[in-house]
Amino acid sequence: MRRGLAATLLLALPVAGLLAGAGTWVRLPGGSFRTALKYEDVKGASRIAPFELMRRPVTNAEFLAFVEQHPQWRRDRVAGVFAEARYLAHWPGPAKLGGKALPAQPVVQVSWFAAQAYCEAQGARLPTWLEWEYAAAADETRRDARKDPAWRERILAWYSRPSNTALPRAGLQAPNAYGVQDLHGLVWEWTEDFSSLLVDADNRNQGDADNAKFCGAGALSMDDRDNYAVLMRVAMLSSLDAEDTTINLGFRCARDLK
């Protein structure tokens, strides 16, 4: 009963109100940051330029507005090279929300190509992995909480939850130290350079991306091998192709400061 009432209330929210969040950006100062990934050509910390990141992931309502303005990204019109057959398959219609795709939920089952096209339409882009990892290293009070075992366990607890449960509304979580929400505990997220995170071809799998098998050798690409939460996310992204979609993968956009 409560779940049905909540769904009804979400559907009743004005679409205009949901779209207002599309322009909500958080400025991140950048600076020196040491990634958990290990690259032969990167020694020590990397320098991240200041940038802006969407406060929360893109919602179904926001992506629907994009599809209406750019009909080539409707699921019944998109070219197969840009999106596989499951692209937006949970929407009740090519340009219709409801049921398993409520307006305020984060949009999922979108390909990298579609996510990048959405961001470009906003004058933005997908964040790089380094930018995303930098933002996601923060908890509610610290800019870098990665060494805290309790923080890691909280993230891993989300990974252990079934992926077939209904997604909450985007923007419910408390902001982290930068003011960004939902980086953990809601959906996985595309990054601009997802395909270059692990370069070993053995780490890329064919078949069902929702059940991607993570190669244990991926741990060799980790500088901090105790950070299993980061390894899981990197392995998942590295198992995908740009046209793939999954039921728990969404995105948010980033943009350079002018």
Side-chain angles (χ1 to χ4, degrees), residues 58-60 62-97 100-101 107-119 121 190 208-210 241-251:
V58 174
T59 65
N60 282 311
E62 291 161 354
F63 200 77
L64 173 60
F66 164 74
V67 166
E68 290 175 338
Q69 295 172 4
H70 304 273
Q72 68 270 29
W73 289 103
R74 288 167 51 115
R75 73 179 187 208
D76 58 343
R77 299 184 188 179
V78 67
V81 295
F82 295 136
E84 58 153 306
R86 294 178 298 179
Y87 171 69
L88 298 179
H90 63 306
W91 284 18
K96 181 180 179 182
L97 303 180
K100 297 180 180 179
V107 66
V108 293
Q109 292 192 206
V110 288
S111 66
W112 180 91
F113 290 114
Q116 182 71 357
Y118 176 94
C119 291
W190 284 113
D208 188 356
D210 286 331
D241 291 317
E243 69 273 16
D244 287 339
T245 75
T246 86
I247 60 174
N248 53 9
L249 176 62
F251 71 99

Side-chain angles (χ1 to χ4, degrees), residues 26-146:
V26 175
R27 179 169 181 165
L28 284 81
S32 179
F33 180 74
R34 186 182 291 273
T35 178
L37 300 182
K38 186 175 182 179
Y39 299 106
E40 291 182 358
D41 57 343
V42 177
K43 305 297 182 183
S46 300
R47 191 74 184 174
I48 299 177
F51 67 102
E52 289 185 317
L53 190 65
M54 282 185 169
R55 185 179 302 275
R56 54 162 176 73
V58 174
T59 65
N60 282 311
E62 291 161 354
F63 200 77
L64 173 60
F66 164 74
V67 166
E68 290 175 338
Q69 295 172 4
H70 304 273
Q72 68 270 29
W73 289 103
R74 288 167 51 115
R75 73 179 187 208
D76 58 343
R77 299 184 188 179
V78 67
V81 295
F82 295 136
E84 58 153 306
R86 294 178 298 179
Y87 171 69
L88 298 179
H90 63 306
W91 284 18
K96 181 180 179 182
L97 303 180
K100 297 180 180 179
L102 301 178
Q105 290 174 323
V107 66
V108 293
Q109 292 192 206
V110 288
S111 66
W112 180 91
F113 290 114
Q116 182 71 357
Y118 176 94
C119 291
E120 289 177 355
Q122 318 307 313
R125 56 177 172 77
L126 288 171
T128 66
W129 166 260
L130 198 59
E131 289 171 334
W132 194 97
E133 185 187 1
Y134 162 77
D139 67 2
E140 290 83 355
T141 60
R142 298 166 292 182
R143 291 188 173 184
D144 193 344
R146 292 178 295 174

Side-chain angles (χ1 to χ4, degrees), residues 134-185:
Y134 162 77
D139 67 2
E140 290 83 355
T141 60
R142 298 166 292 182
R143 291 188 173 184
D144 193 344
R146 292 178 295 174
K147 295 299 182 182
D148 183 355
W151 181 80
R152 292 183 180 180
E153 287 301 319
R154 188 172 68 178
I155 298 172
L156 291 173
W158 168 54
Y159 291 173
S160 68
R161 293 204 301 266
S163 60
N164 59 353
T165 57
L167 291 172
R169 176 169 62 86
L172 290 179
Q173 294 182 14
N176 70 8
Y178 296 113
V180 184
Q181 296 173 283
D182 300 331
L183 287 165
H184 303 287

